[in-house]
Each structure stands twice: as structure tokens, then as C-alpha cells.
Amino acid sequence: MDEICGDFIVRVIFQAFLTGATILIDKLIVRRRPAIVHRGRQLQAYLRLPEWMHIFASRDPGIQNEDLLVAAQFLGVACFLAMCGWIRAFALGIFWDFWVLGLMFVAPACTVIVAWFILVGARRKWLSRARYRNIADDPEKGVPPDEPDPYLERSIMLIWVHPWL
């Protein structure tokens, strides 16, 4: 009985932490979408990426709030994995360990690549919908700033619903 209660408490604390991190990402990153889109477009132009690799669309809004939230969550996971690798490296005093290199470089790189593919697919899907439905405006423009964001609410709901967490 104690194990079940302990597992439940750990799960609730973990889900509360993920909820807080999601709200923090929304307040600190997603709300600054215009600046992020501007810098992202500049970076895409500077790197001379081919059009199919762009994650920011050339028409406004550039990226949807939901996609930006997912990208920030993936970046948070990548930073957490790299931090675990650095902690293991300093604890062992060895940087050429298999787990250290995997946690510091390989796992974050794979996480960022997966997030990049998700964002490229989201951009292509948004552009195809905008092309065929004539939706050039930002669908999130009509939401007042003091109203709850439906994407944020859905993301928080998914944290508490999924049994794998």
C-alpha cells in the first residue's frame, strides 16, 4: 500500500512540475512569438536554408502558438538531457564515457532534430490550409490577452490525462 501511495505522490508532483513548466513556457516564450518569428526568419535567411527546411513561414504569423509551445517543450527536454550528461560527467570525472557523451550530445541532438521535423511538418500543414482555405490571418488574433489560450489548456489537460507520465 505504501508503494502505491508513494508512486501516486511522485506522479502528482511530476505532473504538477510539467504543468508549471508548460505555463512558464507559455508566459515567457509563446507570448513573445513576434520577436521569435522575426529572429527565426533572420536566422533562416542567414543560414540560407532551402525552403523545405524552414520552420517559420514567410507569411504571418510565421508559426502557430501550439507549435511554438511544442518546440519549447522539446528544447526543454534536450536541455534536461544535456544537464544530466554534464552532472554525470562531473560526478564521474570522465568525459569520454558512453553515457556522458550520449546524454550530453546524442540525445539532445536527436530531440532537436525530431522537433525540427515536427515544426517543418506543422509549417507545411498550416501553409497548405492557408492556401486552400484562404486563411492568411492569424487564427489566434481574435483571442484577447486575458482570455485563456485553448492550446495551453489542451496541453495541460494532456499532461494530466496520459497514463504514461
Side-chain angles (χ1 to χ4, degrees), residues 67 117-127 129:
D67 301 327
F117 283 134
I118 289 171
L119 290 175
V120 167
R123 179 189 64 89
R124 291 176 56 118
K125 185 171 98 175
W126 181 78
L127 284 178
R129 278 189 307 187

PDB file of all heavy atoms in Angstrom, residues 67 117-127 129:
ATOM      1  N   ASP A  67       2.513  25.178 -31.978  1.00  0.00           N
ATOM      2  CA  ASP A  67       3.772  24.642 -32.481  1.00  0.00           C
ATOM      3  C   ASP A  67       4.962  25.217 -31.726  1.00  0.00           C
ATOM      4  O   ASP A  67       5.944  24.517 -31.466  1.00  0.00           O
ATOM      5  CB  ASP A  67       3.906  24.915 -33.974  1.00  0.00           C
ATOM      6  CG  ASP A  67       2.776  24.308 -34.772  1.00  0.00           C
ATOM      7  OD1 ASP A  67       2.281  23.236 -34.369  1.00  0.00           O
ATOM      8  OD2 ASP A  67       2.384  24.908 -35.789  1.00  0.00           O
ATOM      9  N   PHE A 117      11.719  18.416 -37.402  1.00  0.00           N
ATOM     10  CA  PHE A 117      10.821  17.743 -38.350  1.00  0.00           C
ATOM     11  C   PHE A 117       9.356  18.013 -38.019  1.00  0.00           C
ATOM     12  O   PHE A 117       8.532  18.201 -38.920  1.00  0.00           O
ATOM     13  CB  PHE A 117      11.087  16.241 -38.387  1.00  0.00           C
ATOM     14  CG  PHE A 117      12.306  15.864 -39.171  1.00  0.00           C
ATOM     15  CD1 PHE A 117      13.215  14.961 -38.661  1.00  0.00           C
ATOM     16  CD2 PHE A 117      12.548  16.408 -40.416  1.00  0.00           C
ATOM     17  CE1 PHE A 117      14.346  14.612 -39.379  1.00  0.00           C
ATOM     18  CE2 PHE A 117      13.673  16.060 -41.145  1.00  0.00           C
ATOM     19  CZ  PHE A 117      14.577  15.163 -40.624  1.00  0.00           C
ATOM     20  N   ILE A 118       9.019  18.030 -36.745  1.00  0.00           N
ATOM     21  CA  ILE A 118       7.638  18.334 -36.347  1.00  0.00           C
ATOM     22  C   ILE A 118       7.268  19.750 -36.774  1.00  0.00           C
ATOM     23  O   ILE A 118       6.177  19.987 -37.302  1.00  0.00           O
ATOM     24  CB  ILE A 118       7.470  18.140 -34.831  1.00  0.00           C
ATOM     25  CG1 ILE A 118       7.514  16.663 -34.477  1.00  0.00           C
ATOM     26  CG2 ILE A 118       6.169  18.773 -34.339  1.00  0.00           C
ATOM     27  CD1 ILE A 118       7.561  16.389 -32.993  1.00  0.00           C
ATOM     28  N   LEU A 119       8.175  20.693 -36.584  1.00  0.00           N
ATOM     29  CA  LEU A 119       7.886  22.084 -36.944  1.00  0.00           C
ATOM     30  C   LEU A 119       7.818  22.287 -38.452  1.00  0.00           C
ATOM     31  O   LEU A 119       6.995  23.064 -38.944  1.00  0.00           O
ATOM     32  CB  LEU A 119       8.928  23.016 -36.329  1.00  0.00           C
ATOM     33  CG  LEU A 119       8.851  23.144 -34.820  1.00  0.00           C
ATOM     34  CD1 LEU A 119      10.003  23.987 -34.302  1.00  0.00           C
ATOM     35  CD2 LEU A 119       7.527  23.726 -34.390  1.00  0.00           C
ATOM     36  N   VAL A 120       8.666  21.590 -39.199  1.00  0.00           N
ATOM     37  CA  VAL A 120       8.595  21.682 -40.660  1.00  0.00           C
ATOM     38  C   VAL A 120       7.266  21.126 -41.152  1.00  0.00           C
ATOM     39  O   VAL A 120       6.602  21.720 -42.009  1.00  0.00           O
ATOM     40  CB  VAL A 120       9.795  20.957 -41.325  1.00  0.00           C
ATOM     41  CG1 VAL A 120       9.577  20.767 -42.801  1.00  0.00           C
ATOM     42  CG2 VAL A 120      11.078  21.728 -41.072  1.00  0.00           C
ATOM     43  N   GLY A 121       6.845  19.998 -40.588  1.00  0.00           N
ATOM     44  CA  GLY A 121       5.550  19.429 -40.960  1.00  0.00           C
ATOM     45  C   GLY A 121       4.398  20.329 -40.576  1.00  0.00           C
ATOM     46  O   GLY A 121       3.425  20.475 -41.330  1.00  0.00           O
ATOM     47  N   ALA A 122       4.477  20.963 -39.416  1.00  0.00           N
ATOM     48  CA  ALA A 122       3.413  21.884 -38.991  1.00  0.00           C
ATOM     49  C   ALA A 122       3.352  23.102 -39.905  1.00  0.00           C
ATOM     50  O   ALA A 122       2.260  23.587 -40.227  1.00  0.00           O
ATOM     51  CB  ALA A 122       3.653  22.315 -37.546  1.00  0.00           C
ATOM     52  N   ARG A 123       4.519  23.603 -40.326  1.00  0.00           N
ATOM     53  CA  ARG A 123       4.525  24.759 -41.233  1.00  0.00           C
ATOM     54  C   ARG A 123       3.904  24.385 -42.569  1.00  0.00           C
ATOM     55  O   ARG A 123       3.089  25.123 -43.120  1.00  0.00           O
ATOM     56  CB  ARG A 123       5.952  25.257 -41.463  1.00  0.00           C
ATOM     57  CG  ARG A 123       6.016  26.454 -42.432  1.00  0.00           C
ATOM     58  CD  ARG A 123       7.441  26.781 -42.816  1.00  0.00           C
ATOM     59  NE  ARG A 123       8.080  25.731 -43.555  1.00  0.00           N
ATOM     60  CZ  ARG A 123       8.042  25.615 -44.890  1.00  0.00           C
ATOM     61  NH1 ARG A 123       7.375  26.471 -45.615  1.00  0.00           N
ATOM     62  NH2 ARG A 123       8.662  24.631 -45.487  1.00  0.00           N
ATOM     63  N   ARG A 124       4.266  23.224 -43.085  1.00  0.00           N
ATOM     64  CA  ARG A 124       3.702  22.790 -44.370  1.00  0.00           C
ATOM     65  C   ARG A 124       2.193  22.593 -44.269  1.00  0.00           C
ATOM     66  O   ARG A 124       1.449  22.965 -45.174  1.00  0.00           O
ATOM     67  CB  ARG A 124       4.380  21.506 -44.830  1.00  0.00           C
ATOM     68  CG  ARG A 124       5.825  21.712 -45.234  1.00  0.00           C
ATOM     69  CD  ARG A 124       6.456  20.404 -45.587  1.00  0.00           C
ATOM     70  NE  ARG A 124       5.699  19.732 -46.623  1.00  0.00           N
ATOM     71  CZ  ARG A 124       6.177  19.441 -47.817  1.00  0.00           C
ATOM     72  NH1 ARG A 124       7.411  19.750 -48.093  1.00  0.00           N
ATOM     73  NH2 ARG A 124       5.430  18.832 -48.695  1.00  0.00           N
ATOM     74  N   LYS A 125       1.730  22.014 -43.164  1.00  0.00           N
ATOM     75  CA  LYS A 125       0.296  21.802 -42.980  1.00  0.00           C
ATOM     76  C   LYS A 125      -0.439  23.135 -42.881  1.00  0.00           C
ATOM     77  O   LYS A 125      -1.485  23.323 -43.495  1.00  0.00           O
ATOM     78  CB  LYS A 125       0.060  20.975 -41.719  1.00  0.00           C
ATOM     79  CG  LYS A 125      -1.390  20.587 -41.491  1.00  0.00           C
ATOM     80  CD  LYS A 125      -1.505  19.594 -40.356  1.00  0.00           C
ATOM     81  CE  LYS A 125      -1.879  20.346 -39.114  1.00  0.00           C
ATOM     82  NZ  LYS A 125      -2.126  19.487 -37.973  1.00  0.00           N
ATOM     83  N   TRP A 126       0.129  24.089 -42.125  1.00  0.00           N
ATOM     84  CA  TRP A 126      -0.511  25.397 -41.981  1.00  0.00           C
ATOM     85  C   TRP A 126      -0.556  26.135 -43.314  1.00  0.00           C
ATOM     86  O   TRP A 126      -1.568  26.743 -43.660  1.00  0.00           O
ATOM     87  CB  TRP A 126       0.224  26.230 -40.937  1.00  0.00           C
ATOM     88  CG  TRP A 126      -0.401  27.563 -40.748  1.00  0.00           C
ATOM     89  CD1 TRP A 126      -1.531  27.836 -40.040  1.00  0.00           C
ATOM     90  CD2 TRP A 126       0.034  28.800 -41.312  1.00  0.00           C
ATOM     91  NE1 TRP A 126      -1.808  29.162 -40.125  1.00  0.00           N
ATOM     92  CE2 TRP A 126      -0.876  29.778 -40.894  1.00  0.00           C
ATOM     93  CE3 TRP A 126       1.101  29.165 -42.123  1.00  0.00           C
ATOM     94  CZ2 TRP A 126      -0.742  31.115 -41.253  1.00  0.00           C
ATOM     95  CZ3 TRP A 126       1.224  30.481 -42.485  1.00  0.00           C
ATOM     96  CH2 TRP A 126       0.318  31.441 -42.053  1.00  0.00           C
ATOM     97  N   LEU A 127       0.550  26.069 -44.079  1.00  0.00           N
ATOM     98  CA  LEU A 127       0.562  26.758 -45.373  1.00  0.00           C
ATOM     99  C   LEU A 127      -0.415  26.130 -46.356  1.00  0.00           C
ATOM    100  O   LEU A 127      -1.056  26.833 -47.133  1.00  0.00           O
ATOM    101  CB  LEU A 127       1.973  26.751 -45.960  1.00  0.00           C
ATOM    102  CG  LEU A 127       2.954  27.735 -45.343  1.00  0.00           C
ATOM    103  CD1 LEU A 127       4.323  27.575 -45.980  1.00  0.00           C
ATOM    104  CD2 LEU A 127       2.465  29.154 -45.460  1.00  0.00           C
ATOM    105  N   ARG A 129      -3.218  24.590 -45.594  1.00  0.00           N
ATOM    106  CA  ARG A 129      -4.564  25.006 -45.174  1.00  0.00           C
ATOM    107  C   ARG A 129      -4.826  26.453 -45.547  1.00  0.00           C
ATOM    108  O   ARG A 129      -5.914  26.799 -45.984  1.00  0.00           O
ATOM    109  CB  ARG A 129      -4.731  24.839 -43.665  1.00  0.00           C
ATOM    110  CG  ARG A 129      -5.063  23.460 -43.247  1.00  0.00           C
ATOM    111  CD  ARG A 129      -5.419  23.445 -41.796  1.00  0.00           C
ATOM    112  NE  ARG A 129      -4.341  24.087 -41.036  1.00  0.00           N
ATOM    113  CZ  ARG A 129      -4.271  24.128 -39.731  1.00  0.00           C
ATOM    114  NH1 ARG A 129      -5.210  23.592 -39.020  1.00  0.00           N
ATOM    115  NH2 ARG A 129      -3.269  24.697 -39.121  1.00  0.00           N
TER     116      ARG A 129
END
